Amino acid sequence: MMALRGVAFLCALLMLAGCRREEAGVRFFPEGQPKSLGEWHVLKVDGGRLSLNDGVVPYDLNTPLFSDYAHKLRTIWIPKGKAARYDAQRSFDFPVGTIISKTFYYPLPGDGKWDGTSVARTSTGNDLQGGSLDLSRVRLIETRLLVRREAGWDAMPYVWNEAQTEAVLKRAGALLSLELVAADGSREAANYQVPDQNQCASCHATDNKTRALHPIGLKARHINRDFAYSGGSENQLAHLSRVGYLVGAPAAEQAPRNADWKDAAHAKLEDRARAYLDVNCGHCHSQTGPAITSGMWLDAAVSDRLKLGFCKQPVAAGKGTGNRLFDIAPGHADASVLVFRMDSDDPSVMMPELGRSVVHREGVQLVSDWIDAQKGTCDF
């Protein structure tokens, strides 16, 4: 009898353990707005590290969107038995239940101790080691979720707490005072803005007619690159296909691919500048985006130089142009509205209008070099 009771007790323990494992898996909410990021079980903090739950796949972009020098951990999770459908130009067609996350964080400067404001100002990069982030070396700021529900995509911003143990939903957004510390010790104040839910549409509503939200980064040209997964390096399109998250994708060499904006050794200046403008500006400045009325389209598909802004008079006037006559004046970056607005941190002037509070100096230099290298003249 005692032996039977022991077996029964062991079975009960095994069943309970199985339930706990199931509860720890990623959880999709078809409606509502969970108050904490942990309820989704996409990311988990354990042992001083931020790691990905089972089935959550990290990815990166050839050229990323600039956000006050923040680094980003991007992930995707798709329910078992479902997959996204490949598209050569637009965002992939994702099934209901898809969860895309983007965690914004900064490496810590100097001795690695968090003093409440200071973070390192470095180029964005992949800081994953063994599939996780070492929280003694980075400061988590926010995690944004883009969730595919029956009615479409919903966006939710979660802000990490001081203890770095949980992120809480902030529907109204948040404003964080940071100090960016460069390698040479110079410091720059940054008023880091976590967008409110309505502001998410400023970038993700890429069709000005429907105003429906869509992913931006998960396009073939942005993610057609290798990634250092915990099991080894592999092309991201091939990896997503292999794990069953993507169908219809061609071989990597047959898919479009944007340049790495920093890779001057292997990519042309033209390709690097266009990739930078595509990911930072093209979702808005396109023939369907919110900035369609500007007549300046900066997405990768545009080849018409007038539509790109060459010798095109700006729609804006006065302060927004800095008294420049053309959006892009070939050979004259300092006379181009595009560079003027990129090089400003004045909210009434700067572009993009949201997502940054400081100037991306390296990005401005890249676009300036590209414009200065252009041939042709306008009627000054």
Side-chain angles (χ1 to χ4, degrees), residues 11 39 90 102 126 133 159 190 206 215 218 220 231 272 274 306 308:
C11 289
E39 295 178 63
R90 296 171 296 182
K102 184 161 62 172
N126 178 18
L133 288 176
V159 177
T206 54
L218 282 162
R272 292 188 293 121
R274 288 297 307 275
L306 182 60
L308 280 171

Side-chain angles (χ1 to χ4, degrees), residues 233-267:
S233 183
E234 186 178 10
N235 178 274
Q236 293 183 142
L237 292 176
H239 183 81
L240 291 173
S241 299
R242 184 172 61 79
V243 301
Y245 277 12
L246 182 64
V247 295
E253 58 270 19
Q254 297 175 335
R257 180 173 185 167
N258 270 9
D260 179 344
W261 73 282
K262 303 188 304 296
D263 190 8
H266 301 96

Side-chain angles (χ1 to χ4, degrees), residues 305-326:
R305 285 174 66 84
L306 182 60
K307 288 185 173 62
L308 280 171
F310 284 96
C311 297
K312 188 188 81 64
Q313 293 183 329
V315 173
K319 187 176 181 180
T321 68
N323 296 318
R324 274 78 172 166
L325 299 178
F326 304 102

Side-chain angles (χ1 to χ4, degrees), residues 47-253:
R49 304 190 74 90
L50 178 70
S51 57
L52 284 55
N53 212 334
D54 291 342
V56 178
V57 177
Y59 70 95
D60 208 349
L61 309 185
N62 284 312
T63 292
L65 182 77
F66 174 74
S67 306
D68 281 350
Y69 291 97
H71 293 210
K72 299 165 188 176
L73 168 60
R74 302 170 178 85
T75 74
I76 181 173
W77 179 84
I78 296 178
K80 188 175 181 180
K82 296 184 179 182
R85 184 161 296 278
Y86 176 85
D87 189 291
Q89 299 300 327
R90 296 171 296 182
S91 298
F92 302 150
D93 183 11
F94 290 95
V96 171
T98 299
I99 303 173
I100 298 170
S101 81
K102 184 161 62 172
T103 299
F104 296 69
Y105 66 94
Y106 289 90
L108 293 174
D111 58 9
K113 293 182 180 179
W114 171 244
D115 64 6
T117 58
S118 300
V119 293
R121 182 176 74 82
T122 62
S123 297
T124 55
N126 178 18
D127 302 289
L128 279 181
Q129 298 292 331
S132 64
L133 288 176
D134 183 352
L135 297 183
S136 69
R137 302 174 63 88
V138 303
R139 184 69 186 179
L140 304 176
I141 304 297
E142 61 162 323
T143 295
R144 302 176 192 174
L145 294 188
L146 199 58
V147 182
R148 180 65 170 89
R149 289 168 163 167
E150 287 287 350
W153 291 95
D154 281 340
M156 292 169 230
Y158 290 86
V159 177
W160 285 89
N161 62 14
E162 183 66 23
Q164 300 281 272
T165 56
E166 181 61 279
V168 179
L169 180 67
K170 296 288 186 180
R171 297 181 60 185
L175 188 64
L176 308 175
S177 296
L178 300 176
E179 188 172 51
L180 307 179
V181 183
D184 63 4
S186 61
R187 295 170 178 265
E188 179 179 17
N191 293 316
Y192 184 99
Q193 183 179 10
V194 177
D196 64 41
Q197 286 184 298
N198 292 330
Q199 288 174 321
C200 292
S202 298
C203 289
H204 286 279
T206 54
D207 188 320
N208 205 39
K209 292 183 179 179
T210 67
R211 300 299 296 166
L213 304 187
H214 293 282
I216 294 173
L218 282 162
K219 299 174 182 175
R221 63 183 181 271
H222 295 318
I223 68 169
N224 185 7
R225 53 164 291 168
D226 289 348
F227 187 90
Y229 298 100
S230 56
S233 183
E234 186 178 10
N235 178 274
Q236 293 183 142
L237 292 176
H239 183 81
L240 291 173
S241 299
R242 184 172 61 79
V243 301
Y245 277 12
L246 182 64
V247 295
E253 58 270 19

